[in-house]
């Protein structure tokens, strides 16, 4: 019972961390730092911390074999480098609510990737769920509303967020065999290192040329939040919780993240919830719920949303 409470606490804290990021990031981008600069700070900070932890908790654990090393490279590209570049580029251009809703497409991508890579069976409800979720995402991406003046490139931003959810869903399928075979910090250190080689060439200039001397205190705190909480703490808690959480429980928190993101965004005055967005959210949620209905004895990779 106590362990269950810890799992719920960990997953809820991760969900709150992710949900708050949609609004807090808008304070930093693009006025104080570009999206690629933020990604660079996040990934470099994570590489340093995870490498140090691995040195103490799993110094002898190493990836072995060509297949596992290539898989780790693919995970670093999809799950860290490309994933984070797409996410912050998209969030920079679109609204917090739209970005949080599109992130929930990741479980649908996991099912499709599982069918293609792991020969997972796709049932009729899942096919229907994919279609309904895709309709909701397409409607959200293509819609124009009263905020068009604030986010004139929202359509492009939404496409980036959808692409981010796609590569992250692929990452979740690719990384599972590594997580089962090696220590979590061995895998995280390697994939973040690969991600650094992808992301840093795009963002080092933004990170180095930012006018840090004129950052207000709250901007420093928000950048620290994105490096320490959003990247390091969230990944640590997620990896611990995924050892004990069921896919059904993870599904609850997938739905909860955009709900909290909407409440935070509206509460901070960063966005507005319209009836149109509510309807699009309903389609996406219905699609994810249908996709989550697994055939008996099927093994589907655990799904968590992460940016």
């Amino acid at each position: 019972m106590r362990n269950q409470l810890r799992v719920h606490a960990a997953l809820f804290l991760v969900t709150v961390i992710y949900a708050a990021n949609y609004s807090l990031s808008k304070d930093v981008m693009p006025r104080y730092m570009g999206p690629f600069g933020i990604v660079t700070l996040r990934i470099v900070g994570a590489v340093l911390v995870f490498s140090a932890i691995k040195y103490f908790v799993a110094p002898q654990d190493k990836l072995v074999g060509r297949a596992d090393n290539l898989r780790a490279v693919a995970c670093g590209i999809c799950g860290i480098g490309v994933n984070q570049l797409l996410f912050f580029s998209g969030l920079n251009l679109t609204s917090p609510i739209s970005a949080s809703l599109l992130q929930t497409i990741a479980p649908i991508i996991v099912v499709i990737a599982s069918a293609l890579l792991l020969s997972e069976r796709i049932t009729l409800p899942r096919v229907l769920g994919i279609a309904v979720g895709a309709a909701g995402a397409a409607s959200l991406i293509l819609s124009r509303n009263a905020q068009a003046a604030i986010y004139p490139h929202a359509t492009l931003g939404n496409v980036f967020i959808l692409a981010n959810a796609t590569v992250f869903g692929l990452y979740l399928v690719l990384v599972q065999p590594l997580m089962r075979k090696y220590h979590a910090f061995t895998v995280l250190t390697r994939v973040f290192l690969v991600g650094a080689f992808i992301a840093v060439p795009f963002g080092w200039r933004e990170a180095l040329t930012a006018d840090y001397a004129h950052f207000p205190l709250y901007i420093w705190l928000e950048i620290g939040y994105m490096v320490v909480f959003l990247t390091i703490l969230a990944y640590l808690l997620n990896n611990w919780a995924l050892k004990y959480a069921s896919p059904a429980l993870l599904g609850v928190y997938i739905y909860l993240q955009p709900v909290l993101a909407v409440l935070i965004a509206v509460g901070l005055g960063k966005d507005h919830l319209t009836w149109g967005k509510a309807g699009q959210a309903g389609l996406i949620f219905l699609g994810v719920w249908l996709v989550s209905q697994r055939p008996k004895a099927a093994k589907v990779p655990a799904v968590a949303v992460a940016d």
Side-chain angles (χ1 to χ4, degrees):
M1 182 65 179
R2 181 177 297 179
N3 196 53
Q4 272 191 325
L5 291 175
R6 289 175 179 174
V7 170
H8 279 283
L11 289 174
F12 182 75
L13 181 55
V14 169
T15 301
V16 172
I17 289 172
Y18 287 151
N21 175 62
Y22 292 99
S23 295
L24 298 182
S25 295
K26 304 298 285 187
D27 289 337
V28 182
M29 299 184 301
R31 180 179 177 184
Y32 293 99
M33 184 178 294
F36 293 171
I38 294 175
V39 171
T40 296
L41 294 181
R42 285 187 64 191
I43 293 180
V44 171
V47 168
L48 294 175
V49 172
F50 289 146
S51 297
I53 296 176
K54 181 194 177 302
Y55 178 80
F56 290 104
V57 303
Q60 305 302 322
D61 194 38
K62 296 180 180 179
L63 297 178
V64 295
R66 177 182 174 86
D68 285 354
N69 278 280
L70 288 177
R71 181 179 288 269
V73 170
C75 289
I77 294 172
C78 294
I80 309 301
V82 174
N83 167 46
Q84 293 199 19
L85 289 173
L86 285 171
F87 175 77
F88 277 91
S89 295
L91 184 57
N92 187 44
L93 297 175
T94 192
S95 71
I97 291 179
S98 295
S100 64
L101 293 176
L102 286 170
Q103 275 284 300
T104 59
I105 290 294
I108 295 178
I109 304 302
V110 168
V111 169
I112 296 173
S114 297
L116 296 175
L117 300 177
L118 304 178
S119 300
E120 176 69 33
R121 183 161 61 95
I122 294 186
T123 61
L124 181 59
R126 285 180 167 180
V127 172
L128 181 60
I130 292 170
V132 172
S139 174
L140 182 58
I141 289 172
L142 298 175
S143 65
R144 303 290 293 175
N145 52 46
Q147 287 187 304
I150 303 175
Y151 302 108
H153 304 294
T155 298
L156 179 60
N158 290 335
V159 170
F160 284 157
I161 293 294
L162 183 61
N164 150 253
T166 300
V167 296
F168 186 71
L170 180 59
Y171 161 77
L172 290 174
V173 176
L174 291 173
V175 79
Q176 278 241 332
L178 296 179
M179 286 296 187
R180 291 171 179 168
K181 188 174 181 180
Y182 302 100
H183 195 284
F185 284 109
T186 301
V187 179
L188 287 174
T189 300
R190 177 63 63 85
V191 298
F192 267 91
L193 184 60
V194 173
F197 279 99
I198 301 297
V200 171
F202 289 93
W204 69 269
R205 192 179 300 275
E206 289 184 2
L208 290 179
T209 59
D211 189 10
Y212 293 105
H214 292 90
F215 279 12
L217 177 60
Y218 76 94
I219 293 297
W220 277 111
L221 293 175
E222 288 175 344
I223 291 176
Y225 173 91
M226 285 186 276
V227 174
V228 177
F229 289 89
L230 182 64
T231 308
I232 297 169
L233 182 59
Y235 270 88
L236 289 176
L237 290 174
N238 247 340
N239 277 279
W240 177 80
L242 287 176
K243 294 180 180 180
Y244 308 101
S246 67
L249 179 59
L250 290 169
V252 173
Y253 286 95
I254 289 170
Y255 290 118
L256 182 59
Q257 184 183 138
V259 173
L260 291 177
V262 168
L263 293 175
I264 293 171
V266 173
L268 295 177
K270 303 293 183 182
D271 204 351
H272 298 86
L273 180 63
T274 64
W275 284 111
K277 282 184 179 179
Q280 293 153 353
L283 285 176
I284 293 174
F285 286 177
L286 176 59
V288 174
W289 180 80
L290 288 170
V291 164
S292 69
Q293 305 307 298
R294 296 185 298 151
K296 292 182 179 180
K299 294 181 179 180
V300 176
V303 178
V305 175
D307 44 51

